[in-house]
Amino acid sequence: MLGGSRCISQHCNFHCSAHQFSTILAASTLTSDSSFKNFRIRLRNRNSNSTCLSNKVCDFGVNCVQPKSSDTQSSLLSDTLSQSGTDEEPPSERLPILTGGIVALGKFDALHIGHRELAIQAAKRGIPFLLSFVGMAEVLGWEPRAPIVAECDRKRILSSWAPYCGNVMPRELQIDFSKVRYLTPCQFVEKLSKELGVRGVVAGENYRFGYRAAGDASDLVKLCEEYGLEAYIINSVMDTNQISGDLNSNDGKERGQVSSTRVRYALHKGDMKYVSELLGRNHRLILMMEDQERFTSERNRLSAPKSCLLNLAPKEGLYENCSVLIDKNVIPCRVIVDTTDIHLESYEVASFSCVTSQDLKILGIDFGSPELDGVQIL
């Protein structure tokens, strides 16, 4: 299902070291002024056994501890660390972490197979980073919607990409869209070169950037050449199903490629096989279990309100061949989604009877056979 690629490169005269970084990057604010004075980077702990604090997100697991604020879900989703004044790291301590990296450009909402291909191409040329913008919906006035991938589950997915990326897990760099919205294409590439110090970029053939999306892939190549960066433009990964009945025909970017829009469409239809093909893995739904009084559990059935979900659920209906991970044990189950709640029914008696008595903070539900998760679907 992966499409071929065509790479256009402009080479610079330096190389980065191949040492392993100990952190995942996430940018909280990039300003549009020339000095990037308000650029701040927050670090996500790579330790899989680490806990979640009020300003960090750990990877998914039964040992994950949620933020203790009264608005836990909002805190987890936004994952904003406010730094100012003396708390801000000087540039000399921040930028070398990213220097020499190869940055894949995109939105990376669904982390689907098209996004994975960008990461693969970036990893072939250096240490891969995913650069995307956060806060676009708020700035552009879009309606709020649940993410396809829960924030605390993203590291698990990126870790599963490592075998495709030379056994290197891609890191994420998220930039506040409001701070770079008015940058011209030239200013954007200049920031990548001079402020972030990246060695090159990878983008899809339909990628657009700069204020009002003024720049396209060919502009990206030309500007990267001017600033001494490598530029790799790859072909889109096409959707072999070509299901587009209810997709927005007015979307100029819609040419049959795999996209987050198509993943949302498949979830809306409840077609989990199609979702798995687009994602290259099973869809994992994350339930936040901090307020266990809202859960009901009896023998082989566990129920929770939809308000506990951290990401997008499929449409209402019955889903067989699902599974839940509890204490490192995979429990096969069916999932029932109704208008207000989600219900898990194990095929085994008493499988869920002890769930609410355990100190579980997050519960992951996989839609599909467990053996397919993390496997490339062709």
Side-chain angles (χ1 to χ4, degrees):
M1 193 166 182
L2 294 179
S5 66
R6 54 183 174 85
C7 296
I8 305 171
S9 64
Q10 304 297 336
H11 298 281
C12 57
N13 296 321
F14 62 90
H15 300 277
C16 63
S17 67
H19 69 279
Q20 296 294 322
F21 294 125
S22 61
T23 57
I24 296 176
L25 295 180
S28 76
T29 57
L30 284 179
T31 62
S32 58
D33 66 285
S34 61
S35 62
F36 260 8
K37 292 180 180 177
N38 295 325
F39 179 44
R40 302 193 291 270
I41 291 180
R42 51 185 165 79
L43 304 178
R44 295 180 185 171
N45 198 318
R46 288 188 64 193
N47 188 337
S48 61
N49 294 319
S50 64
T51 58
C52 297
L53 302 179
S54 62
N55 57 3
K56 294 182 181 179
V57 171
C58 75
D59 49 314
F60 167 70
V62 295
N63 295 325
C64 182
V65 179
Q66 293 304 311
K68 297 182 179 180
S69 66
S70 58
D71 191 4
T72 304
Q73 183 171 351
S74 175
S75 177
L76 181 62
L77 290 176
S78 61
D79 187 33
T80 300
L81 174 60
S82 177
Q83 299 180 2
S84 61
T86 57
D87 293 333
E88 186 173 327
E89 295 176 295
S92 60
E93 296 180 11
R94 296 190 309 256
L95 301 184
I97 299 175
L98 192 59
T99 297
I102 303 296
V103 175
L105 303 173
K107 291 183 179 177
F108 304 110
D109 177 17
L111 293 177
H112 53 62
I113 58 175
H115 295 148
R116 185 178 66 191
E117 181 65 14
L118 288 172
I120 290 172
Q121 296 301 324
K124 288 180 178 180
R125 288 137 182 116
I127 298 176
F129 290 87
L130 307 182
L131 188 150
S132 59
F133 303 108
V134 294
M136 291 185 69
E138 294 81 357
V139 172
L140 300 177
W142 299 343
E143 283 190 24
R145 58 184 184 179
I148 296 172
V149 178
E151 184 70 21
C152 60
D153 196 32
R154 294 179 71 84
K155 182 182 174 184
R156 175 188 69 89
I157 297 169
L158 294 178
S159 296
S160 75
W161 290 2
Y164 303 98
C165 299
N167 293 321
V168 176
M169 183 183 75
R171 284 90 173 159
E172 286 198 278
L173 176 67
Q174 295 181 332
I175 298 176
D176 186 341
F177 178 70
S178 67
K179 306 302 181 183
V180 297
R181 179 185 183 185
Y182 297 106
L183 292 183
T184 65
C186 183
Q187 289 172 330
F188 177 70
V189 174
E190 181 182 14
K191 298 304 182 185
L192 292 177
S193 173
K194 295 185 177 180
E195 304 296 339
L196 296 183
V198 304
R199 180 158 62 92
V201 300
V202 175
E205 58 187 341
N206 297 324
Y207 183 73
R208 301 197 69 91
F209 65 108
Y211 184 51
R212 297 179 183 258
D216 60 16
S218 62
D219 295 321
L220 183 64
V221 172
K222 294 175 184 177
L223 289 169
C224 284
E225 180 178 7
E226 291 179 15
Y227 285 95
L229 302 181
E230 301 172 12
Y232 302 93
I233 305 303
I234 70 171
N235 294 335
S236 298
V237 177
M238 304 306 292
D239 175 14
T240 56
N241 284 289
Q242 291 294 307
I243 298 176
S244 58
D246 293 339
L247 293 177
N248 184 4
S249 59
N250 295 323
D251 185 354
K253 294 183 179 180
E254 177 54 52
R255 295 181 176 86
Q257 73 274 19
V258 173
S259 66
S260 296
T261 299
R262 286 175 179 261
V263 177
R264 289 184 180 275
Y265 170 84
L267 286 169
H268 176 71
K269 292 296 184 182
D271 189 343
M272 302 314 293
K273 181 177 182 296
Y274 184 28
V275 171
S276 295
E277 291 172 351
L278 294 170
L279 296 179
R281 63 181 185 277
N282 292 326
H283 179 59
R284 177 169 289 184
L285 192 61
I286 303 295
L287 274 171
M288 185 168 58
M289 299 187 65
E290 186 175 68
D291 187 3
Q292 293 193 2
E293 293 182 357
R294 304 171 66 189
F295 286 67
T296 58
S297 175
E298 49 184 57
R299 296 176 66 80
N300 71 324
R301 185 180 174 96
L302 177 68
S303 300
K306 281 184 173 180
S307 58
C308 294
L309 296 176
L310 295 183
N311 60 320
L312 186 61
K315 79 166 188 177
E316 297 168 17
L318 169 65
Y319 299 90
E320 299 282 358
N321 300 318
C322 300
S323 60
V324 179
L325 181 66
I326 299 177
D327 243 356
K328 298 183 180 181
N329 296 316
V330 177
I331 301 178
C333 67
R334 65 174 60 90
V335 176
I336 302 168
V337 181
D338 63 30
T339 55
T340 59
D341 299 278
I342 183 166
H343 312 277
L344 314 179
E345 292 184 353
S346 171
Y347 301 116
E348 303 171 4
V349 178
S351 295
F352 295 134
S353 59
C354 63
V355 169
T356 54
S357 64
Q358 298 186 37
D359 188 27
L360 297 180
K361 300 302 179 182
I362 284 182
L363 194 67
I365 307 164
D366 283 352
F367 286 78
S369 302
E371 62 269 17
L372 291 181
D373 193 47
V375 177
Q376 182 178 2
I377 298 175
L378 301 176

